[in-house]
């Protein structure tokens, strides 16, 4: 475990270093230059003895050549316009056309050059399609500007030339501009496109580093110089941090602002030997420096801190006077060159594939998001409360034992403005906190007779301000209460209780409600009610009633036209309390066959009201539609035995199912007086966009219900595996996307915008667009953040992970040492417990909806007649059905491929078995006598009587 933590704190995982096996260097040779070409996604290397090589993005050789007739190569680069490789030696310039076909290999040698060339780079700002500018530094302190075009090389070769060509070109025919900028060797020259400047460095202590426009090489105007004791031998520019980093023989790294050359903005010390190379990691804002003793050091530019030190054990120290190095920002790896090419991967690329992300040590109990502060709250089963910054992933603060020692915090909610936080515990206590500071504001004291039934399973904020707080809570016993507090009283108190679940008649599962007098004046949220229907005389008639089962989840919708509470139970019953129509109804599927008394619906794990964006914009209440799903104590809920057989019974044919929901016809006089005028106005306002209730079930389906109680649509998530229970639901702010989480860690995403426009229109389909596995265990909650376009998931494995909402790309987990990069989705990383990449679903949603097909195989009678022309068949009477003598499977038409899941159904005699699962069973008209060879009959007799 300690070794894993040690590796997690590393930037590069040295133990995963790789070597390029291809012979890119000669004997006693060394790599002198490595260049990454981002727009073509390949790498160019040059060795000291003249080997030029181009690698693809997998570090496999695309092309290579050996320049025999030149001196030692000192550097290389790529010409972006001419698509050629340029290298410099002590007195020549080499241009290699790597695109030559066959054995033709074009190399051009430009010579002689006045001084010994030590470094080279290309200018990337050229807009001319057939011209490139080359910068070179020599041993006399000059910086050269060489302009080359396609006409100089005659890259369009005639067809007759097939052999390798090494052409020598006179340097006097080229336009070469030079200017003396240093008093010593120019060891590095680079062009920085972000600054539109070139940079050159030398061991000169006065003119150590020069940074200026490329025009200064021609007009001889003063240039911007940086003076460093003992000079500069390497430099690099970090575009993201906007700093230049230099290093040299004084063993110090200096950070400079490009516009300020008087003094550095920071210094980094730690190297014991001269610094020979510097590169930057743009994404993480890291600097990687290398000394002549083969010691690598990784620094954080923002904090000016040392992150990692490691060394290269290739070769001897004397061979390390010059060392090539480049960082591949696209793939997160450091490429080095000495006698071999080494590749060091970033630890984060390996870490996420080998170590389990961990936000808490125990399973997650609650996950909530504050939009005001862009922060999330996580609570584990050990009652450790942590607040994280969504953008960076850094922890802000934490609270331990929020409700007292050994008291588990089971649920939490943040009000819509994000200023107040409410938590609930296993003993029934409730506390309100200031979210920003973490200070306790109010509390609901412990009840005198608190038992396990008082354990709070879910809490939802109804209202929050300085003068009043209102919460809706669900207890494990099934009771729902409103808890309020004001500025006068210190403690919270219970003001409203929802009647416990009752049994509903199967034929008419609707019970009318009566409002108690003066309830609208005393309560701002839901009125006090009582049940009108007298069902006491039928309580014992179990066949006529839907039994009450403890609630597992609920959701609440409190807007100007609707006042609804929906609860879900373990037996699949959905209870919808409508306080506007003063009725409560049971939404469930009931079979009318012989098993009429058995509820066929699957258990409900999550519920969510779907409100159209045009309708939600007119909300006047402070209550948002909030998912309220029970995630604790589920193991105590009775589970159905033989889940596979129950799943088969639940997926029955449409003509055997009837949704028995009727509208309450009896309303009270009080309700007519109080609500008649309001309902007339509101019905006109929301006729086009009524809310939809979504329920996630144990059988893996999502049911979409209308407020009137009809089942509008039933969805089955796309998956190559058997259906698994769904555990959580959420939507984006505009209710265009519906996301669901499963017990096996999968996340599914549907597009529901067109469906909510007109749910009754069959043309408005729901399309599943994305599916990925976020965890290896159950996902307890998730939410979608619109501004960052990310999805956050929490699991019982103790991790809270961040994903890109559009493609399911893994961005990291809360608690990791590195900062989130929400804009970078180029690196495909997976956690160690996830093996499959996200699946983008292109099929229309109608293929994902349940459809029924009785017989996937059909008899082709014409083909059957052509196969049965035998004398025995011709003698048969005409009235005999030909299907009775079915023998040949060739007569069966190939089944039509359905891309939607098929509902199971029973065909033939189940006790007699089925052929190939659920193929139709054909019974023969006459019994067929079995014939068996005598030898087998003797063996069979022995097997039936082994003792005889």
């Amino acid at each position: 475990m300690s070794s894993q933590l040690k590796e997690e704190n590393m930037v590069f995982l040295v133990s995963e270093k790789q070597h390029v096996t291809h012979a890119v260097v000669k004997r006693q040779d060394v790599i002198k230059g490595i260049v990454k070409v981002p727009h073509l996604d390949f790498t160019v290397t040059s060795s000291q003895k003249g080997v030029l090589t181009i690698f693809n993005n997998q570090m496999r050789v695309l092309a290579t050549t050996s320049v025999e007739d030149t001196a030692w190569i000192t550097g290389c680069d790529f010409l972006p316009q001419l698509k050629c490789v340029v290298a410099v030696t002590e007195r020549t310039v080499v241009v290699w056309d790597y695109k030559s076909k066959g054995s033709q290999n074009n190399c051009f040698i430009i010579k002689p050059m006045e001084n010994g060339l030590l470094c080279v780079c290309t200018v990337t700002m050229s807009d001319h399609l057939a011209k490139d500018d080359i910068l070179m530094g020599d041993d006399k302190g000059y910086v050269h500007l060489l302009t080359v075009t396609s006409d100089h090389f005659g890259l369009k070769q005639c067809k007759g030339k097939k052999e390798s060509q090494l052409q020598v070109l006179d340097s006097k025919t080229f336009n070469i501009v030079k200017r003396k900028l240093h008093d010593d060797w120019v060891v590095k020259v680079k062009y920085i496109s972000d600054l539109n400047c070139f940079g050159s460095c030398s061991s000169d202590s006065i003119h150590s580093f020069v940074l200026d426009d490329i025009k200064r090489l021609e007009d001889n105007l003063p240039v911007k110089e940086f003076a460093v004791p003992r000079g500069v031998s390497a430099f690099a520019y970090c575009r993201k941090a906007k700093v230049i980093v230099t290093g040299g023989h004084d063993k110090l790294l200096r950070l400079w602002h490009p516009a300020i050359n008087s003094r550095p903005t920071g210094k980094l010390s730690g190297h014991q030997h001269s610094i020979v190379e510097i590169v930057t990691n743009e994404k993480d804002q890291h600097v990687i420096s290398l000394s002549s003793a083969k010691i690598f050091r990784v620094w954080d530019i923002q904090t000016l801190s040392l992150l990692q030190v490691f060394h290269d054990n290739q070769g001897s120290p004397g061979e390390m006077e010059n060392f090539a190095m480049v960082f591949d920002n696209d793939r997160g790896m450091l490429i080095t060159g000495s006698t071999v090419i080494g590749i060091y991967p970033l630890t984060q690329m390996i870490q996420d594939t080998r170590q389990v992300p961990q936000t808490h040590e125990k399973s997650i109990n609650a996950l909530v998001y504050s939009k005001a502060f862009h922060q999330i709250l996580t609570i584990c089963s050990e009652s450790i409360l942590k607040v994280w910054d969504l953008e960076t992933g850094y922890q802000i603060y934490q609270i331990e034992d929020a409700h007292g020692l050994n008291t588990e915090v089971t649920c939490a909610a943040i009000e819509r403005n994000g200023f107040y936080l409410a938590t609930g515990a296993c003993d029934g206590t409730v506390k309100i906190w200031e979210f920003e500071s973490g200070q306790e504001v109010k509390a609901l004291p412990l009840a005198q007779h608190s038992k396990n039934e008082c354990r709070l399973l879910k809490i939802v904020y109804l209202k929050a301000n300085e003068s009043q707080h209102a919460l809706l809570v669900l207890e494990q016993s099934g009771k729902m209460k409103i808890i309020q507090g004001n500025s006068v009283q210190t403690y919270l108190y219970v003001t409203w209780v929802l009647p416990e679940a009752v049994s509903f008649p199967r034929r008419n599962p609707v019970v009318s409600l009566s409002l108690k007098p003066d309830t609208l004046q005393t309560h701002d949220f839901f009125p006090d009610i009582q049940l009108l229907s007298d069902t006491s005389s039928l309580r014992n008639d179990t066949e006529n009633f839907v039994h009450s089962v403890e609630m597992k989840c609920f959701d609440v919708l409190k807007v100007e036209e609707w006042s609804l509470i929906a609860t879900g139970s373990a037996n699949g019953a959905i209870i919808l309390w409508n306080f506007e129509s003063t009725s409560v109804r049971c939404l469930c599927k009931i079979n009318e066959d012989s098993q009429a008394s058995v509820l066929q619906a699957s258990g409900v794990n999550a519920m969510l009201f779907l409100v159209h964006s045009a309708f939600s914009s007119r909300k006047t209440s402070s209550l948002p539609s909030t998912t309220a799903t029970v995630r604790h104590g589920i193991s105590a809920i009775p589970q159905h035995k033989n889940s596979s057989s129950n799943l088969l019974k639940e997926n029955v044919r449409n003509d055997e199912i009837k949704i028995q929901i009727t509208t309450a016809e009896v309303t009270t006089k009080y309700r007519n007086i109080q609500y008649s005028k309001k309902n007339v106005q509101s019905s006109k306002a929301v006729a086009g966009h009524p809310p939809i209730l979504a329920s996630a079930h144990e059988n893996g389906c999502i049911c979409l219900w209308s407020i009137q109680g009809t089942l509008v649509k039933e969805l089955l998530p796309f998956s190559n595996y058997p259906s698994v229970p769904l555990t959580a639901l959420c939507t984006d702010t505009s209710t265009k996307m519906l996301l669901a989480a499963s017990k096996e860690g999968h996340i599914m995403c549907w597009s529901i915008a067109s469906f909510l426009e007109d749910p009754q229109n069959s043309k408005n389909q729901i399309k599943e667009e994305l599916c990925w596995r976020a965890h290896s265990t159950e996902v307890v909650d998730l939410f979608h953040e619109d501004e960052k376009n990310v999805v956050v998931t929490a699991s019982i494995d103790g991790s809270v992970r961040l994903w890109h909402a559009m493609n399911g790309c893994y961005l990291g987990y809360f608690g990791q040492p590195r900062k989130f990069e929400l804009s970078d989705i180029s690196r495909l990383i997976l956690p160690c417990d996830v093996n499959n990449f996200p699946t983008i679903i292109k099929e229309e949603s109608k293929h994902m909806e349940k459809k029924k097909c009785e017989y996937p195989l059909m008899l082709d009678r014409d083909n059957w007649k052509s196969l049965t022309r035998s004398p025995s068949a011709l003698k048969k009477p005409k009235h005999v059905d030909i299907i009775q003598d079915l023998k040949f499977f060739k007569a069966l038409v190939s089944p039509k491929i359905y891309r939607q899941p098929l509902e199971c159904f029973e065909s033939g005699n189940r006790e007699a078995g089925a052929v190939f699962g659920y193929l139709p069973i054909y019974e023969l008209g006459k019994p067929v006598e079995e014939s068996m060879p005598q030898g087998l009959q003797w063996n069979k007799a022995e097997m039936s009587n082994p003792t005889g």
Side-chain angles (χ1 to χ4, degrees):
M1 186 66 178
S2 59
S3 62
Q4 287 185 353
L5 294 176
K6 185 177 180 180
E7 287 183 349
E8 184 175 351
N9 293 326
M10 292 181 179
V11 180
F12 293 99
L13 200 58
V14 182
S15 61
E16 296 292 328
K17 178 185 177 182
Q18 301 176 3
H19 296 282
V20 177
T21 57
H22 188 273
V24 295
V25 295
K26 297 180 179 181
R27 187 176 182 181
Q28 295 182 350
D29 200 358
V30 63
I31 296 292
K32 296 294 292 184
I34 301 178
V35 178
K36 177 69 179 177
V37 185
H39 65 283
L40 296 178
D41 201 12
F42 60 60
T43 305
V44 181
T45 65
S46 63
S47 73
Q48 192 176 52
K49 292 188 176 181
V51 179
L52 302 178
T53 310
I54 295 180
F55 296 89
N56 63 5
N57 53 15
Q58 302 296 325
M59 292 305 291
R60 297 178 181 177
V61 177
L62 292 178
T64 184
T65 188
S66 178
V67 184
E68 301 290 346
D69 297 337
T70 62
W72 283 1
I73 289 180
T74 56
C76 69
D77 207 339
F78 186 79
L79 302 178
Q81 302 299 331
L82 300 182
K83 302 293 189 297
C84 295
V85 176
V86 60
V88 295
T89 67
E90 296 175 355
R91 287 293 187 271
T92 63
V93 177
V94 180
V95 178
W96 171 42
D97 181 16
Y98 72 96
K99 304 182 299 300
S100 304
K101 297 182 179 179
S103 60
Q104 181 177 338
N105 193 359
N106 291 330
C107 280
F108 302 90
I109 308 297
I110 303 174
K111 66 179 185 179
M113 304 300 291
E114 295 184 8
N115 304 321
L117 301 179
L118 302 177
C119 52
V120 63
C121 77
T122 58
V123 179
T124 56
M125 71 173 183
S126 177
D127 296 331
H128 200 285
L129 296 178
K131 184 183 76 171
D132 277 302
D133 294 325
I134 303 173
L135 289 172
M136 301 172 291
D138 64 18
D139 56 359
K140 301 297 184 181
Y142 286 89
V143 175
H144 302 251
L145 176 62
L146 169 64
T147 301
V148 294
T149 64
S150 58
D151 296 334
H152 288 124
F153 308 112
L155 295 179
K156 298 181 179 179
Q157 300 293 325
C158 62
K159 297 182 180 179
K161 293 184 178 181
K162 295 184 179 179
E163 298 181 356
S164 177
Q165 298 293 324
L166 185 63
Q167 304 181 36
V168 178
L169 303 178
D170 189 357
S171 61
K172 296 180 180 179
T173 61
F174 292 84
N175 181 23
I176 302 178
V177 178
K178 68 176 182 178
R179 179 178 177 179
K180 185 176 179 62
L181 298 176
H182 305 276
D183 294 333
D184 206 336
W185 290 5
V186 181
V187 293
K188 290 284 190 304
V189 60
K190 296 180 182 179
Y191 183 78
I192 305 173
S193 58
D194 296 285
L195 302 177
N196 291 325
C197 296
F198 78 95
S200 61
C201 64
S202 171
S203 299
D204 183 6
S205 298
I206 305 299
H207 314 288
S208 306
F209 176 63
V210 173
L211 180 69
D212 216 317
D213 193 283
I214 198 172
K215 297 178 181 179
R216 300 291 84 81
L217 297 177
E218 301 179 12
D219 54 22
N220 291 323
L221 293 177
V223 294
K224 185 185 299 182
E225 297 178 337
F226 299 74
V228 177
R230 303 184 64 183
V232 174
S233 57
F235 68 93
Y237 176 71
C238 182
R239 180 178 66 256
K240 201 168 185 178
K242 297 181 180 180
V243 296
I244 296 175
V245 185
T246 62
H249 295 293
D250 64 349
K251 309 168 190 176
L252 294 177
L253 287 174
R254 290 175 172 85
L255 278 67
W256 306 82
H257 190 280
I260 302 175
N261 61 346
S262 58
R263 61 178 182 178
T265 60
K267 293 182 180 181
L268 300 173
S269 61
H271 279 289
Q272 302 299 320
H273 299 82
S274 299
I275 299 171
V276 296
E277 188 60 280
I278 301 173
V279 294
T280 59
N281 175 359
E282 289 287 345
K283 178 180 180 296
D284 299 321
Q285 299 186 46
H286 291 168
V287 173
I288 303 101
S289 58
L290 173 66
S291 70
S292 58
K294 303 187 298 183
I295 302 297
F296 295 85
R297 289 180 180 265
V298 184
W299 315 80
D300 190 326
I301 297 179
Q302 297 297 325
T303 61
L304 301 181
S305 59
L306 179 64
L307 302 178
Q308 185 183 6
V309 179
F310 62 96
H311 66 92
D312 184 274
N313 54 7
Q314 194 69 33
S316 61
E319 300 172 352
M320 302 304 296
E321 290 297 331
N322 294 290
F323 199 100
M325 182 169 62
V326 68
F327 184 80
D328 188 350
N329 285 281
D330 295 331
R331 285 169 180 78
M333 57 186 184
L334 180 68
I335 305 175
T336 62
S338 56
T339 55
V340 296
I341 295 180
I343 301 175
Y344 295 88
L346 282 176
T347 301
Q348 67 188 56
M349 306 294 289
I350 305 299
Q351 161 196 327
D352 294 327
T353 61
R354 299 197 340 183
Q355 299 177 359
V356 178
Q358 193 175 58
T359 307
H360 291 265
E361 294 183 359
K362 299 297 181 179
S363 61
I364 305 297
N365 281 2
L367 170 69
V368 289
Y369 175 59
S370 172
K371 295 182 181 179
F373 298 102
H374 298 285
Q375 297 171 359
I376 73 167
L377 168 74
T378 60
I379 303 175
C380 69
S381 58
E382 282 187 333
S383 298
I384 298 177
L385 183 152
K386 295 182 179 182
V387 176
W388 312 83
D389 181 71
L390 178 64
E391 186 173 359
T392 62
Y394 294 153
Q395 182 177 332
I396 300 175
Y397 67 85
Q398 76 176 37
I399 301 175
E400 298 182 4
D401 299 325
H403 284 246
L405 188 63
N406 299 326
T407 302
E408 181 183 0
V409 180
T410 57
C411 55
I414 296 177
E415 54 99 6
R416 187 174 61 175
N417 295 324
F419 298 111
Y420 293 99
L421 162 69
T423 57
C426 61
D427 58 359
T429 57
V430 176
K431 289 187 178 183
I432 295 178
W433 315 72
E434 286 186 357
F435 183 76
E436 184 178 10
S437 62
Q439 298 296 320
E440 182 179 338
V441 178
K442 292 181 181 297
L444 177 69
L446 182 66
Q448 296 181 356
H449 303 286
S450 178
K451 298 181 180 179
N452 294 332
E453 290 77 8
C454 294
R455 177 189 181 96
L456 297 183
L457 300 177
K458 192 64 185 181
I459 185 170
V460 173
Y461 242 113
L462 299 178
K463 185 177 182 180
N465 53 45
E466 295 181 357
S467 60
Q468 185 182 16
H469 292 270
L471 306 167
L472 181 63
V473 300
L474 170 65
E475 295 181 350
Q476 188 168 352
S477 61
K479 291 183 179 180
M480 296 186 66
K481 302 177 181 179
I482 290 182
I483 301 174
Q484 295 192 38
N486 52 41
S487 58
V488 178
Q489 297 181 346
T490 307
Y491 296 101
L492 300 172
Y493 51 92
V494 177
T495 60
W496 182 86
V497 178
L498 185 70
E500 296 185 13
V502 296
S503 298
F504 293 86
R506 290 189 181 276
R507 296 183 180 180
N508 185 21
V510 178
V511 177
S512 299
L513 304 175
S514 174
L515 303 182
K516 295 183 179 180
D518 299 331
T519 55
L520 294 181
Q521 286 76 19
T522 57
H523 295 287
D524 298 330
F525 307 102
F526 301 105
D528 287 337
I529 56 176
Q530 61 183 5
L531 303 177
L532 287 182
S533 300
D534 185 11
T535 59
S536 59
S537 61
L538 299 177
R539 293 286 183 181
N540 297 327
D541 190 355
T542 58
E543 294 185 357
N544 292 328
F545 273 79
V546 178
H547 299 284
S548 298
V549 179
E550 57 185 299
M551 287 183 287
K552 295 176 63 177
C553 56
F554 79 92
D555 195 22
V556 58
L557 180 65
K558 181 71 174 176
V559 293
E560 56 182 359
E561 290 89 359
W562 302 100
S563 182
L564 304 170
I565 294 178
T567 63
S569 303
N571 65 343
I574 300 174
I575 311 300
L576 181 62
W577 299 81
N578 191 336
F579 298 97
E580 294 293 329
S581 63
T582 62
S583 65
V584 56
R585 65 182 67 245
C586 179
L587 284 64
C588 57
K589 296 192 299 185
I590 302 175
N591 192 358
E592 291 184 343
D593 291 342
S594 58
Q595 297 179 350
S597 60
V598 180
L599 193 63
Q600 298 292 334
S602 179
V604 185
N605 291 334
M607 303 192 69
L608 182 64
F609 281 107
L610 306 178
V611 183
H612 192 272
S613 57
F615 173 74
S616 60
S617 63
R618 301 195 308 269
K619 289 184 180 180
T620 57
S621 173
S622 62
L623 171 65
S625 179
T626 308
T627 306
T629 306
V630 173
R631 296 175 180 89
H632 315 288
I634 295 180
S635 59
I637 297 174
Q639 301 292 333
H640 296 286
K641 298 181 180 180
N642 301 326
S643 58
S644 59
S645 62
N646 288 336
L647 205 61
L648 175 63
K649 294 179 182 179
E650 290 165 5
N651 296 328
V652 294
R653 290 161 49 182
N654 277 338
D655 55 359
E656 296 177 349
I657 297 178
K658 181 179 181 182
I659 310 301
Q660 295 191 358
I661 308 268
T662 61
T663 305
E665 299 177 354
V666 180
T667 56
T668 63
K669 180 178 180 181
Y670 183 82
R671 180 259 177 187
N672 291 332
I673 296 175
Q674 296 291 333
Y675 290 99
S676 58
K677 295 182 180 180
K678 183 178 179 179
N679 288 339
V680 171
Q681 298 175 355
S682 62
S683 61
K684 295 179 181 180
V686 299
H689 304 290
I692 296 293
L693 177 63
S695 58
H697 295 263
E698 277 285 330
N699 62 358
C701 294
I702 294 180
C703 295
L704 302 179
W705 310 82
S706 68
I707 301 303
Q708 291 74 28
T710 58
L711 180 63
V712 180
K713 197 176 290 292
E714 189 174 7
L715 302 177
L716 185 65
F718 173 83
S719 176
N720 295 328
Y721 306 98
S723 299
V724 296
L726 300 180
T727 56
L729 293 173
C730 79
T731 63
D732 58 344
T733 303
S734 57
T735 324
K736 294 181 179 179
M737 305 300 297
L738 173 64
L739 291 93
S742 74
K743 197 171 185 178
E744 291 189 353
H746 291 92
I747 307 296
M748 289 74 66
C749 180
W750 288 268
S751 175
I752 60 174
S754 61
F755 169 76
L756 291 181
E757 290 287 343
D758 186 5
Q760 304 300 330
N761 189 353
S762 59
K763 295 182 180 179
N764 296 338
Q765 298 292 339
I766 297 178
K767 179 182 178 182
E768 186 176 0
E769 296 184 342
L770 187 63
C771 177
W772 76 92
R773 189 162 194 177
H775 301 265
S776 61
T777 56
E778 178 183 347
V779 178
V780 297
D781 206 351
L782 77 165
F783 70 86
H784 181 281
E785 209 284 329
D786 289 14
E787 183 178 348
K788 305 297 181 183
N789 200 19
V790 295
V791 175
V792 179
T793 60
S795 173
I796 61 175
D797 61 8
S799 68
V800 179
R801 305 179 186 181
L802 190 67
W803 310 84
H804 196 275
M806 296 302 295
N807 55 15
C809 177
Y810 178 60
L811 300 176
Y813 68 95
F814 290 90
Q816 68 183 21
R818 58 186 173 90
K819 180 182 176 182
F820 286 154
E821 287 292 341
L822 304 184
S823 59
D824 185 10
I825 58 175
S826 58
R827 301 177 183 176
L828 294 178
I829 311 173
L830 290 176
C832 70
D833 53 350
V834 176
N835 299 322
N836 301 325
F837 285 99
T839 302
I840 299 178
I841 304 169
K842 297 182 179 180
E843 290 83 355
E844 291 297 330
S845 64
K846 61 183 180 181
H847 300 311
M848 298 299 107
E849 298 169 13
K850 280 193 173 183
K851 292 188 176 180
K852 302 183 179 184
C853 180
E854 291 193 13
Y855 293 98
L857 298 179
M858 297 180 295
L859 178 65
D860 188 347
R861 295 186 179 275
D862 295 334
N863 191 17
W864 168 249
K865 292 178 181 179
S866 64
L867 296 174
T868 57
R869 296 183 181 277
S870 62
S872 59
L874 295 176
K875 293 180 182 180
K876 288 183 178 291
K878 294 183 179 181
H879 65 274
V880 176
D881 192 355
I882 197 71
I883 199 172
Q884 294 181 1
D885 292 325
L886 179 62
K887 298 179 181 179
F888 303 96
F889 277 90
K890 292 182 179 180
L892 295 176
V893 177
S894 299
K896 182 180 180 181
I897 299 177
Y898 291 90
R899 295 188 180 274
Q900 71 275 3
L902 298 176
E903 279 199 358
C904 303
F905 67 94
E906 297 185 16
S907 60
N909 186 359
R910 182 178 178 83
E911 295 181 357
V915 180
F916 303 122
Y918 292 102
L919 293 179
I921 300 176
Y922 294 93
E923 296 183 358
L924 299 178
K926 298 179 181 180
V928 180
E929 296 181 359
E930 297 180 359
S931 59
M932 186 179 298
Q934 294 182 357
L936 295 178
Q937 291 180 0
W938 182 80
N939 291 333
K940 182 178 180 181
E942 283 189 344
M943 293 175 63
S944 62
N945 188 14
T947 58

